[in-house]
Amino acid sequence: MSQSTALLLSIMIESAVAAALVGAARWGSAPRAAVAAVLATLATHWAVWWSVLWLTPRLGYGPTVAAVEGAVVAVEAIVYRLIVTRRWPRALAVSLAANAASTGIGLALYGLGLA
């Protein structure tokens, strides 16, 4: 999968998950959550892509994905905190849910030989 395809897929998944969670939980505006997801993903995707490529030969694929995604959840939570909710636990929950969904789907596609 190309970097641009992965970026578009990540944006679609993360914005849908963030909007659905924020809307269902009534933690703020679902459209603002979708915008936050787009901005957060645009800000972090390039670093994720190149970090995984660089770290995988050094740490292995599993540890690399865990470390990089952990950092992404923390960074993207800042965006959710600034745009969607004033509560850090909620911002972290939205970031974790959105990134878990996109990472999980990405790993599934990779495992099926589609990525």
Side-chain angles (χ1 to χ4, degrees), residues 5 7 29-30 33 54 72 78 88 97 100 107 112:
T5 301
L7 173 61
S29 164
W54 189 80
V72 167
I78 296 167
W88 280 109
L107 290 172
L112 294 170

Side-chain angles (χ1 to χ4, degrees), residues 34-81:
V35 168
V38 171
L39 294 174
T41 303
L42 286 171
T44 60
H45 184 80
W46 67 273
V48 170
W49 187 268
W50 294 109
S51 295
V52 169
L53 291 176
W54 189 80
L55 288 171
T56 296
R58 292 156 178 82
L59 302 177
Y61 187 70
T64 294
V65 170
V68 170
E69 286 300 327
V72 167
V73 167
V75 170
E76 291 188 6
I78 296 167
V79 178
Y80 290 110
R81 167 66 175 70

Side-chain angles (χ1 to χ4, degrees), residues 9-19 33 37 41 76 80 98-99 102:
L9 185 59
S10 294
I11 287 171
M12 291 179 353
I13 294 165
E14 293 186 29
S15 62
V17 169
T41 303
E76 291 188 6
Y80 290 110
N99 282 285
S102 65

